[in-house]
């Protein structure tokens, strides 16, 4: 994966959104790993907005609180592997002629300027060569990432102010993929939908590399808000109702699946969510179509550029009826992601301190922790 700083031994993963700080730390156990520390701390409204820190003092206090309140083993190391906000990042894949590594380091930044749609001096950038699965000796496929220096510097300042040592930074989608794509390789294009409180990270992975990423400004909060307004109840009550009854497969979907809950109330909840779900489906289709029509070079191990599978992670993955609704709407097989696929042996023989249900919210944090422990033991 692309990295902006070099990693040092013994670190933990730290993932931040507008709503929560999530922490995960792993320890070695045989051929696999074990969850050592984990935690989720609420970030007050207004501290972070659209990926940018608006109140650095408050954010530093949140970081300190998050570390103090972890479950499991106490966090003793100051070293942290941190994820940068997806909404502030830019990815592209370029082709470069075959050359040695030093020549490539010199050539990629100049070539990347033709693809990055902003002033390159205002952004940090890095790249990695994508492993070739087609034995093509004519060129390198190179994944280039860039992110605002202003945003990165603000997070690094706050991490250091909280007494932490940021030893590796990467963009959030990279952390998510490391956690839920088995062995970090796919023989066909795979879509990952990671549901946060305010946005959905839409990530397409194929072969050995991330191919496309975007953030959709629709997610958990918007579904809860819609129910709250429809029934004229509080957000807290709406959240409980959403997960109690889930989404009924309405109209033509009813023949596909019948849920056991109160059908009238469940149908009303579905009606409340129709505008939000319709918009979500529309945007997912738009991005899938964009990827499939703009994939000038195929990076998977096969020839088909169509999405063949979708993984869903985040709290909304636990919503009753949501996965079959998305699968039917998009006509693609959906699966709930397994955040432990590269951490614990399969099949999962024990439930970690962090349950499977709750771990669906920790994909990025666990991916960061996995990077930390993997590089620590090299």
């Amino acid at each position: 994966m692309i990295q902006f700083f070099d990693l040092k031994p013994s670190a933990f993963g730290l993932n931040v959104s507008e709503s929560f700080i999530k922490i995960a730390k792993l320890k070695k156990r045989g051929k696999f790993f074990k969850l050592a520390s984990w935690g989720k701390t609420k970030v007050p409204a207004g501290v972070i907005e659209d990926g940018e820190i608006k109140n650095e003092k408050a954010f530093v206090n949140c970081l300190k609180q998050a570390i103090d309140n972890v479950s499991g083993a106490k966090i003793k190391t100051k070293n942290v592997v941190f994820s940068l906000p997806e909404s502030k990042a830019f990815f592209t894949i370029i082709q470069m002629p075959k050359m040695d590594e030093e020549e490539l380091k010199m050539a990629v930044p100049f070539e990347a300027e033709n693809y990055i749609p902003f002033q390159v001096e205002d952004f940090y950038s890095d790249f990695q060569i994508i492993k070739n699965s087609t034995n093509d000796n004519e060129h390198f496929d190179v994944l280039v990432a860039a992110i605002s220096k202003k945003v990165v510097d603000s997070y690094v300042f706050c991490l250091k102010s909280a007494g932490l040592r940021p030893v590796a930074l990467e963009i959030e989608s990279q952390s998510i993929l490391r956690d839920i794509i088995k062995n970090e390789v796919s023989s066909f294009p795979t879509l990952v939908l990671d549901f946060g409180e305010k946005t959905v990270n839409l990530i397409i992975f194929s072969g050995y590399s991330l191919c496309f990423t975007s953030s959709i400004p629709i997610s958990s909060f918007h579904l809860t808000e819609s129910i709250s307004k429809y029934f004229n109840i509080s957000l807290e009550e709406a959240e409980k109702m959403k997960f109690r009854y889930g989404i009924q497969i309405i109209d033509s979907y009813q023949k596909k699946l019948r849920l056991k809950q109160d059908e009238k109330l469940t149908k009303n909840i579905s009606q409340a969510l129709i505008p939000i779900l319709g918009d979500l489906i529309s945007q997912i289709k738009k991005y899938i179509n964009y990827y499939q029509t703009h994939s000038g070079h195929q990076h998977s191990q096969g020839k088909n550029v169509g999405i063949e599978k979708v993984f869903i992670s985040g709290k909304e993955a636990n919503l009753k009826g949501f996965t079959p609704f998305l699968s039917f709407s998009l006509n693609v097989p959906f699966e709930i992601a397994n955040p432990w696929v590269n951490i614990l042996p399969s099949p999962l023989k024990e439930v970690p301190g962090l349950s499977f249900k709750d771990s669906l919210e920790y994909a990025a944090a666990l991916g960061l922790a996995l990077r930390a422990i993997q590089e620590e033991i090299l």
Side-chain angles (χ1 to χ4, degrees), residues 1 3 6-10 28 33 178 184 369-378:
M1 289 294 179
Q3 62 183 50
D6 290 331
L7 187 66
K8 304 298 180 183
S10 186
K28 191 80 169 64
F33 309 102
R178 182 185 300 107
E184 297 184 68
L370 187 58
R371 174 177 172 182
I373 191 70
Q374 284 175 336
E375 297 198 25
E376 178 183 334
I377 62 178
L378 289 178

Side-chain angles (χ1 to χ4, degrees), residues 52-111:
E52 295 185 17
I53 301 170
K54 300 298 183 181
N55 187 331
E56 291 184 337
K57 182 177 180 181
F59 180 53
V60 170
N61 289 335
C62 288
L63 287 171
K64 292 178 179 179
Q65 180 185 353
I67 294 167
D68 289 341
N69 293 340
V70 296
S71 299
K74 182 179 179 180
I75 299 289
K76 296 181 180 181
T77 179
K78 299 297 183 182
N79 294 338
V80 60
V81 185
F82 184 78
S83 64
L84 297 163
E86 193 72 27
S87 61
K88 298 300 179 182
F90 173 82
F91 286 99
T92 189
I93 294 176
I94 64 176
Q95 292 183 9
M96 298 292 295
K98 289 284 185 176
M99 60 184 75
D100 64 41
E101 186 174 346
E102 290 304 314
E103 289 178 320
L104 195 64
K105 288 180 180 179
M106 296 290 292
V108 167
F110 290 101
E111 180 66 19

Side-chain angles (χ1 to χ4, degrees), residues 345-364:
S346 180
L348 195 62
K349 294 183 179 180
E350 68 174 81
V351 177
L354 182 65
S355 71
F356 185 90
K357 179 179 177 180
D358 291 336
S359 70
L360 289 166
E361 298 183 59
Y362 280 75

Side-chain angles (χ1 to χ4, degrees), residues 30-63:
K31 295 181 179 179
F32 294 92
F33 309 102
K34 183 177 181 180
L35 184 65
S37 312
W38 68 96
K40 182 174 77 169
T41 298
K42 180 71 177 176
V43 176
V47 174
I48 299 175
E49 295 179 356
D50 190 28
E52 295 185 17
I53 301 170
K54 300 298 183 181
N55 187 331
E56 291 184 337
K57 182 177 180 181
F59 180 53
V60 170
N61 289 335
C62 288
L63 287 171

Side-chain angles (χ1 to χ4, degrees), residues 120-137:
V120 293
E121 61 268 20
D122 296 330
F123 283 70
Y124 292 116
S125 64
D126 207 341
F127 72 91
Q128 73 176 44
I129 300 173
I130 300 172
K131 186 177 179 180
N132 193 324
S133 61
T134 60
N135 297 317
D136 188 337
N137 295 316

Side-chain angles (χ1 to χ4, degrees), residues 106-295:
M106 296 290 292
V108 167
F110 290 101
E111 180 66 19
E113 288 186 19
N114 297 319
Y115 298 87
I116 298 176
F118 36 66
Q119 297 295 319
V120 293
E121 61 268 20
D122 296 330
F123 283 70
Y124 292 116
S125 64
D126 207 341
F127 72 91
Q128 73 176 44
I129 300 173
I130 300 172
K131 186 177 179 180
N132 193 324
S133 61
T134 60
N135 297 317
D136 188 337
N137 295 316
E138 298 299 320
H139 68 272
F140 286 122
D141 295 325
V142 180
L143 177 65
V144 178
I147 190 165
S148 164
K149 288 183 178 180
K150 178 182 176 182
V151 170
V152 175
D153 292 345
S154 178
Y155 278 104
V156 169
F157 171 79
C158 289
L159 290 169
K160 290 182 176 179
S161 297
L164 299 173
R165 187 181 301 111
V167 294
L169 306 179
E170 65 182 22
I171 298 166
E172 187 175 33
S173 57
Q174 297 174 289
S175 313
I176 294 168
L177 292 172
R178 182 185 300 107
D179 186 49
I180 66 176
I181 300 294
K182 188 172 183 179
N183 300 323
E184 297 184 68
V185 61
S186 175
S187 59
F188 47 80
T190 300
L191 172 64
V192 176
L193 296 177
D194 183 70
F195 281 77
E197 287 295 313
K198 299 293 179 68
T199 61
V200 177
N201 284 331
L202 184 151
I203 313 163
I204 297 176
F205 182 93
S206 189
Y208 299 90
S209 173
L210 179 155
C211 299
F212 177 85
T213 180
S214 187
S215 294
I216 300 175
I218 300 172
S219 195
S220 178
F221 172 79
H222 301 94
L223 296 176
T224 302
E225 183 182 48
S226 184
I227 295 173
S228 173
K229 290 179 178 178
Y230 188 89
F231 289 98
N232 193 26
I233 58 177
S234 70
L235 289 171
E236 291 76 14
E237 291 175 302
E239 180 79 357
K240 292 178 182 178
M241 183 180 289
K242 180 178 68 174
F243 281 100
R244 179 180 179 184
Y245 293 101
I247 300 172
Q248 185 183 43
I249 309 303
I250 56 177
D251 298 330
S252 60
Y253 305 136
Q254 283 185 328
K255 297 177 182 178
K256 294 285 181 179
L257 178 70
R258 289 197 176 276
L259 303 176
K260 296 180 181 180
Q261 293 81 17
D262 181 334
E263 290 189 3
K264 183 177 180 180
L265 182 55
T266 308
K267 186 172 182 178
N268 285 339
I269 293 174
S270 299
Q271 294 291 338
L273 296 177
I274 283 174
I276 300 294
L277 294 175
D279 191 11
L280 176 63
I281 294 297
S282 177
Q283 292 202 45
I284 294 172
K285 286 182 177 178
K286 179 184 71 175
Y287 286 118
I288 290 176
N289 181 65
Y290 179 87
Y291 165 74
Q292 292 178 167
T293 56
H294 288 76
S295 296

